[in-house]
């Protein structure tokens, strides 16, 4: 039978066919035909073979063209003339900065695809948290504005400039305000100062949604320094925290995670040294989960307990009666511990009350903490806002005194407790300009929006801590028609320097680089500058202790006298969403809350026993009321929540965030109370049954491990006497092998995870998502247990009964301590890459198989989706693609359009519907490391290859490497006396070993 196929002799013949010419016209941008592309490149239409291969074999999307066009194009244009610094398939790295932390941005063919920590950063030391990892997705956010707007209509920058200049001219007789969150970059501060010099009636108001002005004002009155101190948790032998979630969200959690673990990790335990951490709080926090001793109290008792601690240490305040006898006993023990560790102790509080922070200052002064664990000479500039100025602005605007206002990285129409009061006041201002990247809650009320580019598209700098500076340099030109706010302010103030890049460079070359001994080029390569710190010294405390104590007693009494039917509410920022600015990030919305494992929602957390007494059921909607303020949210039973209290996360309930973040949860900011000069998050509320039920999307609903060999824990006292405490097998029995032995004569890739270092922050989960193109599935799919995370963090509750060891858990349903006094262990769980893998024996098509270097591989094209492997996996770490999640508009993610697919890692294939997937130990990184070593003709170096989870972990809890290398770090870790393997008794021979959790428990 004659074939209808047509054959061609070579590429030269093919490129001349009508089909190829027509295909080329359709492939390349309509406004730029292929003939013009070739002619501009100096090539003929009929190209030589080499140039034709360039066109045929390599093309880049809209983002890559952002370097030469103002608006993104929708079709590919090839690299006919390759940029010198770009080699297809080889990544480029650029040093930049995110929220003051030094970062390295990995780009491929002109598009950023991954962010890592900069090892030169003194705050993160090469590590990143979940928020920084996920920030990459914001670059490709399709909800952002594509061009400037005036009066709701798209316009040009020239027209917007004319509009703003006219408004500034008309506002000359009134006040002008620039409202922003904290700005610490020297260049941005300089631009604002220059603008104020041009318009002297201007005032810069800095107000943070999550405020630390209570600390700043207390330090002003106590030491004459209006600053947030720089804390050093790694210098403290005893840490007592009153509601400060310093491992989760408080001030600088990435830095504090790194510090906190240094006295609790493998090296510290090997030397028989471990700090003691005591947490006093009402709602269970990430920090509370990791504490050695946790004391659940009501918010009213939290501040009273602080007074009692001050009194026990010798402070001149009267002792207060606490509702909980356990809390009184624990505070007395904490005072004893702190006294024994003077000069090596640290007390912190998460309260924004000036009086509370004044007492904290008094306690730390008694303990000799200033100059050791607290540095007030080299303070933090990460939060410098004062919300009292924002309250004053609302009054001035209502009085008609404000002629113009500019909003920079600020959204008070959403975060201000009384949103209607703010919007009414704003309507009386003639010129309202927002620099938001989208029409958010505040920008939508403004006359003009001058959209700001993503930080990956900008020049800027930051000064997060005294003496430490980071540079922000673009990794790509603005994708949309955006402009930096600083650039706009330079133009509107007729600054002699019109270009912000030149302004940043001039600022550094004049003020910073000479001190650092660096050139501008060296700075861009290094990314950070650490100047010599000022000598740390003690501080003379001069706070009004008597007045502060009286204020605390009065405020606590007001909370307690509300009545038996009222509950005390605590508001807190979510670990992932923070103050709400990250609400439109799908990776963060689907990141399980480290405590509750809830995704895509906020909720009312309540003690299970107390909810039962009130007659409420889990997941039913309840109405929370405080005066004329109310919201309706589902109820979540949360062990560890103090009785008589509830907790609600801030940052949800956005209405103008974007496709992902709109209408997710409810806005709890209205419950903030402005009193004694600050916004405070503890108040009395009532709850009543609402309408209907809302089943929350949780990734873990089973809280105990039923006595199986899953979690091993012990006390520090037991560990010192017996280093093998807690790590023994459950029962002795003979092992029988049903599988042939796998001999790894080359490499043997394994992993060690230290449970004592893992805090459960979730940074590894997001890093894995970014690196391996793990899709987001949305709330409904998570409800169906179809989340796709390759790496999860399991959270287990346990309780220590009187006279029993810490490992003798009781079923939570039978606890008699009101679900308050619990301990928590976090355990990262991923594919264990078993030598005797149960999944491999049941796969009918051999889609899952064992490699010669100890890894369990997946051949996606071979998988037919029987799911036998998932059913046979005792660790439940395999994920099944029910749908094409990454390319389906039904799911709440950014992978379902041609633009945001540019965030995908080209080294990892996207999986399709009907196949099984799981952790690969970042096989693409292993291959890249091998190739580099082969090119350089050398063996692989230890830790040269790092998995994505390992590289980002703030506490270095994860170590990956070659077990066949006797000097490798992973082999040393797995040889530690605390090492055990999960479900070791079933003889799957996992390739992932865990180190026993050790707690420095508070001895009575």
């Amino acid at each position: 039978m004659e074939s209808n196929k047509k054959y061609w002799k070579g590429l030269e013949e093919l490129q001349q066919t009508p089909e190829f010419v027509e295909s080329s016209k359709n492939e390349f941008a309509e406004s730029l035909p292929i003939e013009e592309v070739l002619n501009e490149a100096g090539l003929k239409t009929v190209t030589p073979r080499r140039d034709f291969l360039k066109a045929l074999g390599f093309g880049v999307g809209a983002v890559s063209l952002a370097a030469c066009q103002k608006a993104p194009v929708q079709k590919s244009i090839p690299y006919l003339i390759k940029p010198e610094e770009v080699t297809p398939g080889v990544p480029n790295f650029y040093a930049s900065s995110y929220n003051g932390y030094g970062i390295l941005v990995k780009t491929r063919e002109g598009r950023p695809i991954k962010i890592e920590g900069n090892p030169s950063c003194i705050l993160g030391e090469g590590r990143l948290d979940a928020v920084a990892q996920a920030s990459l997705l914001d670059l490709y956010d399709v909800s952002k504005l594509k061009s400037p707007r005036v009066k709701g209509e798209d316009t040009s920058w020239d027209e917007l400039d004319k509009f703003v200049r006219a408004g500034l001219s008309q506002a000359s007789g009134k006040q002008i305000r620039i409202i922003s969150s904290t700005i610490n970059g020297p260049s941005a501060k300089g631009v604002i100062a220059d603008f104020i010099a041009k318009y002297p009636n201007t005032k810069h108001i800095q107000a943070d949604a999550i405020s630390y002005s209570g600390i700043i004002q207390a330090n002003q009155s106590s030491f004459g320094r209006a600053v947030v101190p720089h804390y050093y948790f790694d210098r403290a032998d005893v840490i007592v925290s009153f509601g400060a979630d310093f491992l989760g969200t408080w001030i600088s959690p990435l830095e504090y995670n790194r510090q906190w673990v240094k006295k609790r990790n493998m090296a510290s335990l090997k030397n028989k040294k471990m700090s003691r951490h005591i947490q006093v709080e009402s709602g269970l926090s990430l920090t509370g989960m990791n504490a050695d001793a946790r004391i659940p109290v009501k918010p009213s008792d939290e501040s009273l307990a602080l007074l009692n601690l001050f009194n026990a240490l010798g402070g001149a305040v009267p002792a207060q009666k606490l509702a909980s006898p356990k809390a009184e006993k624990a505070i007395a023990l904490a005072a004893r511990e702190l006294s024994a560790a003077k000069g090596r102790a640290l007390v912190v509080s998460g309260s924004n009350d000036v009086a509370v922070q004044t007492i904290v200052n008094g306690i730390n002064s008694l303990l000799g903490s200033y100059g050791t664990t607290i540095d007030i000479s080299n303070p933090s500039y990460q939060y410098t806002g004062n919300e009292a100025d924002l309250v004053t602005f609302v009054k001035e605007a209502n009085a008609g005194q404000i002629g113009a206002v500019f909003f920079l990285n600020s959204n008070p129409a959403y975060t201000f407790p009384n949103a209607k009061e703010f919007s009414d006041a704003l309507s009386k201002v003639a010129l309202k300009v927002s620099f938001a990247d989208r029409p958010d809650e505040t920008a939508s009320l403004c006359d003009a929006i001058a959209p700001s580019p993503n930080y990956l598209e900008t020049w800027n700098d930051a000064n997060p801590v005294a003496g430490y500076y980071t540079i922000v340099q673009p990794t790509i030109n603005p994708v949309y028609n955006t402009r930096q706010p600083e650039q706009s302010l330079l133009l509107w103030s007729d600054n002699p320097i019109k270009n912000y890049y030149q302004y940043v460079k001039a600022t550094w070359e004049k003020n910073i680089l000479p001190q650092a001994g660096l050139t501008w080029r060296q700075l861009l390569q290094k990314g950070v500058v650490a100047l010599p710190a000022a000598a740390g010294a003690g501080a003379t405390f001069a706070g009004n202790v008597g007045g502060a104590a009286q204020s605390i007693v009065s405020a606590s009494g007001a909370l307690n006298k509300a009545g038996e039917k009222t509950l005390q509410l605590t508001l807190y920022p979510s670990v992932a969403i923070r103050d709400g600015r990250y609400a439109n990030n799908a990776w963060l919305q689907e990141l399980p809350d480290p405590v509750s494992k809830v995704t895509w929602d906020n909720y009312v957390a309540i003690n299970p026993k107390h909810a039962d007494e009130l007659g409420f059921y889990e997941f039913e909607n309840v109405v929370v009321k405080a005066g004329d303020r109310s919201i309706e949210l589902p109820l979540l039973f949360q062990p560890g929540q103090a009785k008589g209290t509830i907790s609600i996360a801030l940052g949800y309930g956005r209405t103008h965030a974007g496709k992902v973040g709109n209408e997710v949860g409810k806005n709890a900011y209205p419950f903030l109370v402005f009193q004694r000069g600050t916004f405070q998050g503890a108040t009395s509320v009532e709850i009543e049954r609402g309408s209907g039920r809302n089943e929350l999307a949780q990734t873990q609903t089973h809280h105990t491990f039923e006595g199986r060999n899953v979690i091993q824990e012990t006390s520090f006292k037991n560990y010192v006497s017996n280093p093998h405490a807690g790590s023994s097998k459950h029962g002795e029995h003979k092992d029988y092998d049903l599988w042939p032995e796998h001999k790894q004569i080359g490499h043997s890739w394994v992993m060690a995870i230290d449970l004592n270092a893992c805090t459960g922050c979730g940074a590894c989960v997001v890093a894995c998502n970014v690196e391996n193109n793990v899709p987001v599935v949305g709330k409904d799919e998570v409800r169906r247990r179809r989340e796709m995370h390759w790496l999860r963090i399991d959270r287990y509750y346990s309780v220590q009964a009187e006279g029993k060891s810490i490992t003798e858990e009781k079923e939570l349903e039978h606890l008699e301590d009101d679900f308050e006094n619990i301990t928590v262990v976090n355990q990262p769980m991923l594919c264990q890459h078993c030598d005797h893998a149960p999944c491999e024996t049941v796969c009918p098509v051999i889609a899952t198989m064992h490699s010669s270097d100890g890894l369990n591989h997946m051949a996606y094209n071979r998988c037919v989706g029987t799911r036998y492997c998932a059913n046979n996996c005792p660790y439940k770490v395999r994920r099944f693609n029910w749908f094409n999640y990454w390319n389906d508009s039904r799911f709440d993610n950014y992978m379902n359009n041609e633009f945001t697919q540019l965030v995908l890692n080209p080294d990892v294939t996207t999986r399709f519907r009907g196949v099984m997937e799981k952790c690969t130990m970042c096989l693409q990184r292993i291959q890249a490391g091998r190739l580099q070593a082969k090119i350089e003709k050398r063996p692989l170096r230890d830790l040269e290859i790092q998995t994505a989870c390992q590289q980002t972990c703030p506490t270095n809890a994860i170590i990956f490497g070659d077990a066949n290398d006797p000097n490798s770090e992973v082999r040393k870790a797995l040889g530690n006396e605390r090492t055990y393997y999960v479900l070791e008794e079933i003889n799957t021979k996992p390739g992932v070993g865990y180190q026993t959790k050790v707690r420095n428990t508070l001895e009575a």
Side-chain angles (χ1 to χ4, degrees):
M1 182 176 178
E2 185 177 350
S3 173
N4 292 324
K5 294 181 180 179
K6 294 182 179 180
Y7 298 92
W8 39 273
K9 296 178 181 178
L11 295 175
E12 291 82 357
E13 180 180 332
L14 174 64
Q15 66 177 316
Q16 300 179 51
T17 62
E19 292 83 4
F20 176 77
V21 173
E22 184 63 28
S23 175
S24 299
K25 290 180 180 179
N26 294 333
E27 175 69 17
F28 303 121
E30 297 174 4
S31 60
L32 199 60
I34 184 62
E35 291 87 354
E36 293 185 23
V37 175
L38 300 175
N39 290 336
E40 287 183 11
L43 302 173
K44 298 178 181 180
T45 304
V46 179
T47 62
R49 178 185 179 93
R50 180 178 178 183
D51 295 311
F52 171 73
L53 285 173
K54 291 181 183 179
L56 184 66
F58 189 76
V60 292
V63 174
S64 300
L65 289 172
C68 57
Q69 297 197 18
K70 290 186 177 180
V73 297
Q74 301 301 318
K75 299 187 179 181
S76 304
I77 292 181
Y79 275 154
L80 296 172
I81 301 178
K82 183 182 73 66
E84 182 180 352
E85 69 278 7
V86 175
T87 300
V90 178
N92 293 75
F93 290 85
Y94 298 89
S96 190
S97 173
Y98 180 72
N99 288 346
Y101 289 93
I103 62 173
L104 299 177
V105 183
K106 179 183 179 181
T107 67
R108 280 287 301 270
E109 290 79 55
R111 56 188 177 96
I113 63 167
K114 187 69 171 65
I115 298 173
E116 308 292 358
N118 187 338
S120 299
C121 176
I122 66 171
L123 303 181
E125 292 186 351
R127 308 293 173 169
L128 283 183
D129 58 12
V131 170
Q133 285 287 346
S135 66
L136 176 68
L137 194 57
D138 297 332
L139 172 66
Y140 304 99
D141 189 341
V142 294
S143 301
K144 296 189 294 186
L145 287 172
K146 311 301 187 291
S147 60
R149 283 186 183 179
V150 173
K151 300 295 185 180
E153 300 291 334
D154 290 346
T155 187
S156 66
W157 282 106
D158 288 341
E159 291 300 318
L160 182 137
D161 291 341
K162 291 177 184 178
F163 178 82
V164 173
R165 287 180 183 274
L168 287 171
S169 178
Q170 295 173 5
S172 58
K174 294 185 176 182
Q175 297 297 306
I176 300 173
R177 296 290 181 264
I178 298 174
I179 299 178
S180 74
S181 56
T182 292
I183 293 177
N184 54 41
S187 298
K189 289 165 67 175
V191 169
I192 293 174
D194 291 348
F195 185 90
I196 294 174
K198 172 70 175 180
Y199 301 99
N201 54 337
T202 302
K203 181 180 178 181
H204 181 202
I205 296 174
Q206 298 184 75
D208 298 303
I210 306 299
S211 174
Y212 296 90
S213 60
I215 296 177
I216 295 172
Q217 294 178 42
N219 284 329
Q220 173 64 43
S221 60
S222 299
F223 309 110
R225 299 286 304 275
V227 295
V228 173
H230 196 187
Y231 298 95
Y232 291 93
F233 290 86
D234 54 340
R235 300 177 184 175
D237 289 342
V238 179
I239 302 165
V240 181
S241 168
F242 288 81
D245 187 13
F246 60 85
L247 297 180
T249 59
W250 191 71
I251 302 181
S252 186
L254 173 61
E255 178 188 7
Y256 299 156
N257 268 271
R258 180 184 58 76
Q259 294 176 352
W260 176 85
V261 79
K262 286 185 177 179
K263 288 202 172 183
R264 311 174 67 84
N265 59 15
M266 206 176 300
S268 180
L269 288 174
K270 200 75 174 175
N271 294 324
K272 309 299 183 186
K273 293 181 180 179
M274 185 177 180
S275 63
R276 175 163 287 158
H277 170 200
I278 302 167
Q279 186 80 6
V280 183
E281 60 184 11
S282 56
L284 183 61
S285 68
L286 178 64
T287 306
M289 288 199 306
N290 290 281
D292 297 309
R294 181 177 175 272
I295 308 168
V297 296
K298 293 181 179 180
S300 57
D301 272 5
E302 188 178 304
S303 52
L304 294 180
L306 193 63
L307 285 178
N308 285 357
L309 180 61
F310 187 41
N311 178 70
L313 292 170
V317 295
Q320 303 295 318
K321 181 70 175 177
L322 302 183
S324 168
K326 289 184 179 180
E328 287 191 333
K329 182 179 179 181
I331 291 298
L333 292 172
R336 185 190 70 187
E337 296 287 327
L338 289 168
S339 294
K342 284 188 176 181
R344 296 170 285 105
L346 178 59
V347 176
V348 294
S349 170
S351 172
N352 199 35
D353 191 328
V354 179
V356 170
Q357 293 296 342
T358 300
I359 297 299
V360 171
N361 290 347
I363 290 174
N364 282 312
S365 294
L366 292 174
L367 295 173
S369 300
Y370 291 96
T372 54
T373 58
I374 304 177
D375 188 353
I376 204 167
S377 303
N378 299 279
S380 166
Y381 300 135
Q382 290 159 298
Y383 292 94
T384 59
N386 183 358
E387 60 268 38
D389 291 341
L390 187 59
V391 173
T392 301
F393 163 79
V394 173
K395 295 178 181 177
E396 292 174 337
N398 268 320
Q401 300 173 8
I402 307 297
V405 60
F406 299 88
F407 295 99
L408 173 57
N409 197 23
S410 178
N411 188 13
Y414 164 68
T415 60
F416 197 76
N418 192 332
K420 186 177 186 306
E421 180 187 11
F422 180 84
S423 59
D424 288 346
L426 194 61
S427 66
K428 299 176 183 178
V429 179
L431 176 64
K432 304 175 287 293
V433 181
S434 174
F435 294 109
D437 63 353
R438 70 197 64 227
D440 61 23
E441 290 81 355
T442 302
S444 59
L445 301 176
C446 292
D447 307 304
I449 306 178
S452 174
N454 184 269
Y455 78 98
L456 292 170
E457 305 167 311
T458 63
W459 287 101
N460 224 322
D461 49 28
N463 178 207
V465 177
Y468 180 63
Y469 300 86
T470 59
I471 188 73
V472 181
Q473 63 172 316
T475 59
I476 182 174
N477 273 8
V479 175
Y480 296 127
N481 187 17
T482 56
R483 188 172 75 187
Q484 282 194 247
E486 294 84 358
Q487 181 76 36
S488 296
L489 293 177
L490 287 175
L491 295 173
W492 299 338
S493 61
D494 298 320
N495 199 292
I497 302 178
K498 304 298 183 184
N499 184 284
Y500 186 54
Y501 162 73
Q502 296 295 338
Y503 195 100
V504 173
K505 185 179 180 183
T507 299
W508 279 75
E509 290 180 336
K510 179 182 178 182
N511 302 321
I512 305 171
L513 292 180
Q515 300 180 64
L518 296 175
T519 64
W520 175 252
R521 184 178 180 85
Q522 289 171 330
L523 167 67
L524 298 185
Q525 292 174 336
K526 188 177 181 182
V528 302
V529 167
L531 301 178
T540 303
F541 177 70
N544 183 0
V545 172
Q550 185 176 357
S551 176
I552 289 173
V553 172
S554 175
S556 297
L559 281 173
N560 282 323
K561 74 178 182 181
E564 292 184 0
K565 293 184 178 180
T566 62
L567 301 173
Q568 293 183 22
L569 166 67
T570 300
L571 300 173
Y572 64 95
S574 160
V575 170
I577 307 302
R578 303 293 169 96
D579 61 7
R581 69 183 64 194
Y582 309 120
N584 207 53
N585 192 300
W587 279 332
L588 293 177
Q589 286 283 9
E590 194 145 302
L591 176 67
D593 180 85
V595 177
S596 66
K597 301 303 173 184
V598 171
T599 68
W600 295 98
D601 244 324
N602 62 341
Y603 44 84
V604 177
I606 191 171
N607 182 284
K609 283 282 180 72
H610 193 200
D612 186 57
E613 293 170 3
L614 296 175
F616 290 115
Y617 300 96
E618 190 169 30
F619 299 151
E620 72 170 311
N621 289 326
V622 295
V623 179
V624 181
K625 293 183 177 180
D628 59 350
R629 299 157 290 161
S630 67
I631 58 173
E632 187 172 354
L633 281 170
L635 205 64
L636 178 76
F637 290 179
Q638 181 57 62
Q641 185 80 27
K643 287 193 69 176
T645 71
I646 58 174
S647 298
I648 302 176
L650 297 167
Y652 292 84
R654 294 286 304 275
T655 57
H656 293 73
K659 173 188 174 184
V660 168
N662 285 345
E663 309 301 337
V664 175
K666 298 293 177 62
N667 184 6
Y669 276 106
F671 287 104
L672 286 176
V673 179
F674 185 74
Q675 55 187 2
R676 299 184 293 281
T678 60
F679 284 138
Q680 298 177 36
T683 185
S684 294
V685 297
E686 295 182 359
I687 63 171
E688 59 185 41
R689 184 164 278 106
S691 58
R693 183 176 182 274
N694 179 9
E695 182 183 353
L696 295 167
Q698 290 178 282
T699 59
Q700 182 184 357
T701 54
H702 190 77
H703 308 309
T704 62
F705 47 87
E706 313 296 350
R708 290 174 292 183
N709 186 19
V710 175
I711 291 293
Q712 298 288 352
E713 56 179 336
T714 188
S715 67
F716 182 60
K717 181 180 179 180
N718 289 338
Y719 170 77
V720 170
S721 60
N722 176 19
H724 296 275
S727 61
S728 60
K729 292 184 180 180
H730 282 207
E732 294 297 332
H733 57 83
K734 187 175 181 180
D735 292 337
Y736 294 93
D737 286 352
L738 300 179
W739 296 267
E741 183 181 356
H742 293 286
K743 293 182 179 180
Q744 288 110 38
I745 58 176
H747 300 292
S748 178
W749 302 113
V750 293
M751 180 176 284
I753 301 177
D754 188 354
L755 297 185
N756 224 49
C758 175
T759 61
C761 68
C764 56
V765 177
V766 178
C768 177
N769 291 354
V770 182
E771 174 71 23
N772 295 296
N773 301 333
V774 176
V776 174
V777 303
K779 181 177 179 179
D780 289 340
E781 290 294 285
V782 175
R783 278 175 174 159
R784 296 182 178 99
R785 308 294 187 266
R786 293 175 176 174
E787 70 274 6
M788 295 298 295
H789 297 147
W790 287 6
L791 168 64
R792 70 176 190 262
I793 301 179
D794 291 337
R795 175 263 300 118
Y796 295 105
Y797 300 123
S798 62
V799 61
Q800 184 176 6
E802 292 295 332
K804 295 185 178 182
S805 70
I806 197 170
T807 55
E808 294 182 84
E809 294 80 16
K810 298 165 62 182
E811 286 292 342
L812 288 179
E813 290 76 8
H814 302 94
L815 292 181
E816 297 179 357
D817 65 344
D818 295 328
F819 281 91
E820 286 186 328
N821 300 294
I822 61 166
T823 58
V824 183
V825 181
N826 295 299
Q827 182 183 55
M829 180 54 62
L830 63 160
C831 176
Q832 301 291 289
H833 293 271
C834 310
D835 274 353
H836 293 172
C839 58
E840 296 174 9
T841 61
V842 296
C843 181
V845 292
I846 320 180
T848 177
M849 67 202 78
H850 216 76
S851 73
S852 60
D853 49 9
L855 297 181
N856 178 261
H857 287 189
M858 273 296 304
Y860 300 129
N861 283 342
R862 196 181 291 170
C863 179
V864 296
T866 64
R867 291 180 286 154
Y868 294 163
C869 57
N871 292 333
N872 216 39
C873 174
Y875 307 100
K876 301 306 172 190
V877 290
R878 289 175 164 263
R879 300 288 175 259
F880 183 70
N881 270 281
W882 290 89
F883 299 98
N884 287 331
Y885 293 115
W886 67 273
N887 193 23
D888 194 322
S889 59
R890 290 175 298 172
F891 303 108
D892 298 315
N893 65 79
Y894 276 151
M895 311 303 176
N896 53 33
N897 65 75
E898 61 182 3
F899 184 61
T900 49
Q901 284 184 28
L902 294 168
V903 76
L904 298 176
N905 183 356
D907 293 330
V908 181
T909 182
T910 51
R911 283 72 61 188
F912 44 89
R913 178 178 183 174
V915 305
M916 192 66 67
E917 58 184 79
K918 60 163 192 74
C919 165
T920 64
M921 291 291 185
C922 291
L923 185 60
Q924 68 281 2
R925 292 189 172 208
I926 296 175
Q927 293 299 95
R930 280 174 164 169
L931 178 60
Q932 187 62 36
K934 184 176 180 180
I935 291 173
E936 298 176 7
K937 298 180 180 179
R938 58 169 176 80
L940 280 169
R941 293 187 287 262
D942 186 36
L943 300 180
E944 178 179 5
I945 298 173
Q946 296 194 22
T947 60
C949 55
Q950 173 191 12
Q951 189 167 27
T952 200
C953 179
T955 58
N956 198 28
I958 302 172
I959 303 176
F960 173 79
D962 184 4
N964 285 345
D965 179 359
N967 298 315
S968 66
E969 290 297 319
V970 72
R971 181 156 172 172
K972 294 175 184 176
L974 293 177
N976 185 276
E977 62 272 4
R978 292 192 296 124
T979 297
Y980 75 97
Y981 293 88
V982 174
L983 301 180
E984 190 172 2
E985 62 271 18
I986 64 177
N987 198 33
T988 58
K989 295 191 175 180
V992 180
Y994 294 84
Q995 281 74 53
T996 300
K997 175 76 174 180
V998 180
R999 272 200 167 85
N1000 196 356
T1001 52
L1002 195 63
E1003 303 294 340

